Amino acid sequence: MKRRQVALLLPTMIASVAVAAACTTPTAAPDRKAGTDRTAMTLADGYEPESLNPLLGYGEEGVSKLFDGLVEHQADRSVRPVLAADLPKPGPDGRSWTVKLRTGIKFHDGTPFTAEDVVATYRAVLDPAYASTVKSSFGMLTGVVQLDQETVRFDLAYPYTPFAHKLVLGIVPSEALAQPGPLDKNPFGAKPVGTGPYRLEEWRKGEKMVLAANDAYFERVPKVRKVTVVFATDDNARAQRMKAGEFDGTALPPALAKTFEGNGYRQITHRSADYRTVTMPMANPVTADKSLRLALNHAVDRQGMINAFLAGKGAPASTPIPQALPEFVEPAAQFRFDRPEAERILDQTGWVKGGNGMRARGDLAASFTLMYPVGDAVRKDLAQAFASDAKAVGIEVKLEGLGWEAIEPRMGRDALVLGGGNPFDPDLKAYPLLHSSFGGDGFNNPGRYSNPAVDRALEAGRREADPAQRVAQYREFQRAYAADPGMVFLAFLDHTYVVREGWTGYQEVVDPHTHGLTWGPWWNLQDWTPQG
């Protein structure tokens, strides 16, 4: 869960609700300041990326607009070939994947896309000299070789069934990777060159980014010719500027988005695999206690949080497996709100209530700190609700709103409201989040959770090729996790957007954690057509 992803999600704020209450009259869409030219679109985003380099995480889940991967995700969660000529083909033993490449494709600067670019991109991911931030998610990849001018082969350390999903990574020109060195020092991140449907025309950091249609795009030249992305972090300010006619679309908290219904605006709600969870670090003697973690999972009123703070737009979460992957969801691993059961577990495991109603076991008080990013009111709301529910069973949760620079060094010892998730395959998020091999790997398993039964099931799931057996392995993973939960999952958030009328081509999709310009309503922007 990289900071850039986390920063994307700021919807649903108490302050926003207050503003929304004062703005419930439907608002007519004013004429755009730029006129009625629907070939241009201005969007507002609450987050500005630090870099546009795919190897530093930009567009890690595809549809970046600037880059293409060998494949890309479709609305039904499957992948389709993009820079690949056909779908990737696994070898008989599952330890290699061969990809036939399209020909005749050019990067934005006119240079041809070749197999050398694919090899250079993935070798840079693996080479520590480049310090790629996505390297840890390619632990199964041992190498990539060019077989001929139009074919590459990926070699794996072990069979990895969802490998095709990893090939959404944007392909970078080999020339940009010719000199090994840390990518965060490479100017490519600010001046990217891809093969995508849009090219970067201008980036005024802290203000806006302008994309122009790639007239040489090999699939279909976008009919929305120019996209301006204005960075506006404050939800209320973004909503007011939207009402003033500055923007054609943005993500907003549900209560604010509702004020735009009708009169030229369209409110769009996407289901998502975007969870919020409370980490329980194993280095903290309180959160490391299995019985306390289990009790907290019963003590929290997930649906109450969704109703109170998400305007009902969300779904309870007990594990990282979302309802968007229904066949993988294990019904027996869902925690019900059961405060008496939480009290019973704590009583039976030696957490004794004192005169003040708070518990302790010996000299150890049932008390820990929960951090949340100070600018994220959704996480603040959920943290406050979590603390209230914990207090009701005698556990003290001390809240701290902090900047990420202060949070990251403390993630191994203090709890955190963490976000993440995607709807494409259960391995892609569950493995790095909960497998012990990722313990302490940044936002992957920051609390160093370790459960041999969970590890075994996750290992088996990623290697299993039979679909029914994969489902069985991930359901077993969830049962093992629920018996010894390493976190307290709270909710999968719905994402809400406001879009001005005037275009066709929108297609509903289930969002990953990351949205903004990449996912959200604009995930297929190159297919949109101006009306009138």
Side-chain angles (χ1 to χ4, degrees), residues 137-477:
S137 67
F138 283 88
M140 78 298 293
L141 182 63
T142 58
V144 54
V145 294
Q146 179 179 341
L147 301 181
D148 58 40
Q149 291 300 312
E150 301 174 11
T151 313
V152 296
R153 187 190 70 222
F154 294 86
D155 295 325
L156 310 186
Y158 48 83
Y160 181 67
T161 298
F163 187 69
H165 291 281
K166 305 300 293 183
L167 299 180
V168 300
L169 183 71
I171 299 300
V172 174
S174 59
E175 294 83 355
L177 300 167
Q179 297 298 323
L183 293 168
D184 62 355
K185 309 296 184 187
N186 192 320
F188 185 84
K191 298 180 179 179
V193 175
T195 60
Y198 289 91
R199 57 180 173 79
L200 180 66
E201 187 172 273
E202 180 185 18
W203 185 6
R204 295 184 191 176
K205 292 194 175 183
E207 183 182 345
K208 68 178 181 180
M209 184 182 295
V210 180
L211 310 183
N214 175 8
D215 287 329
Y217 194 54
F218 56 95
E219 288 206 318
R220 49 199 172 275
V221 176
K223 294 180 179 177
V224 178
R225 306 283 303 157
K226 178 179 178 181
V227 182
T228 301
V229 183
V230 177
F231 303 113
T233 58
D234 184 85
D235 286 353
N236 292 313
R238 204 161 63 250
Q240 292 302 322
R241 294 175 68 180
M242 179 93 188
K243 289 179 179 177
E246 286 191 52
F247 310 136
D248 295 306
T250 191
L252 286 173
L256 274 176
K258 189 175 182 179
T259 67
F260 284 83
E261 286 181 347
N263 296 291
Y265 293 111
R266 180 179 184 185
Q267 181 184 339
I268 294 174
T269 299
H270 280 184
R271 290 191 303 136
S272 88
D274 185 11
Y275 58 74
R276 292 295 177 273
T277 184
V278 176
T279 64
M280 297 273 110
M282 298 302 131
N284 184 308
V286 175
T287 54
D289 184 73
K290 174 182 173 180
S291 61
L292 185 135
R293 298 196 306 272
L294 191 60
L296 282 171
N297 269 282
H298 285 293
V300 294
D301 182 1
R302 295 171 173 84
Q303 189 61 54
M305 294 179 186
I306 293 167
N307 293 341
F309 302 114
L310 303 178
K313 294 185 178 297
S318 294
T319 78
I321 308 300
Q323 290 295 332
L325 296 167
E327 67 273 31
F328 290 101
V329 174
E330 171 54 59
Q334 308 307 308
F335 290 102
R336 67 185 187 280
F337 174 42
D338 190 342
R339 190 168 290 161
E341 174 66 6
E343 299 262 21
R344 186 193 66 78
I345 293 170
L346 293 168
D347 289 341
Q348 290 190 347
T349 53
W351 291 99
V352 179
K353 272 189 176 178
N356 61 356
M358 306 311 289
R359 295 177 183 269
R361 186 160 64 186
D363 295 332
L364 183 63
S367 174
F368 63 91
T369 296
L370 173 59
M371 305 180 292
Y372 60 88
V374 69
D376 189 328
V378 169
R379 298 192 202 211
K380 179 181 178 182
D381 292 345
L382 294 176
Q384 290 175 333
F386 176 85
S388 177
D389 286 343
K391 184 178 180 181
V393 296
I395 299 171
E396 181 189 36
V397 177
K398 295 173 286 189
L399 302 180
E400 287 192 46
L402 301 167
W404 285 109
E405 292 75 13
I407 289 174
E408 290 182 34
R410 294 173 51 180
M411 292 193 300
R413 187 171 181 83
D414 291 322
L416 167 68
V417 183
L418 185 69
N422 73 56
F424 307 120
D425 187 275
D427 174 83
L428 301 177
K429 189 53 65 178
Y431 192 96
L433 186 66
L434 294 170
H435 193 278
S436 61
S437 65
F438 274 78
D441 180 38
F443 292 98
N444 294 321
N445 195 358
R448 296 183 180 274
Y449 174 68
S450 180
N451 181 331
V454 165
D455 282 357
R456 283 194 297 273
L458 288 174
E459 287 286 355
R462 63 175 19 194
R463 297 166 189 249
E464 178 60 60
D466 180 79
Q469 289 301 314
R470 284 200 85 213
V471 168
Q473 293 295 347
Y474 284 106
R475 290 193 170 194
E476 173 57 30
F477 144 66

Side-chain angles (χ1 to χ4, degrees), residues 53-57 60 117-144 154 163 166-167 169-172 177 181 183:
N53 192 328
L55 278 61
L56 293 178
E60 187 176 1
D117 302 307
V118 179
V119 171
T121 296
Y122 283 91
R123 285 183 176 173
V125 169
L126 298 179
D127 188 344
Y130 290 89
S132 169
T133 58
V134 301
K135 181 177 185 294
S136 64
S137 67
F138 283 88
M140 78 298 293
L141 182 63
T142 58
V144 54
F154 294 86
F163 187 69
K166 305 300 293 183
L167 299 180
L169 183 71
I171 299 300
V172 174
L177 300 167
L183 293 168

Side-chain angles (χ1 to χ4, degrees), residues 48-76:
E48 181 175 12
E50 296 175 0
S51 170
L52 298 177
N53 192 328
L55 278 61
L56 293 178
Y58 181 72
E60 187 176 1
E61 288 166 325
V63 298
S64 79
K65 310 296 183 290
L66 298 172
F67 296 90
D68 291 309
L70 297 178
V71 302
E72 75 173 12
H73 291 116
Q74 302 185 95
D76 64 358

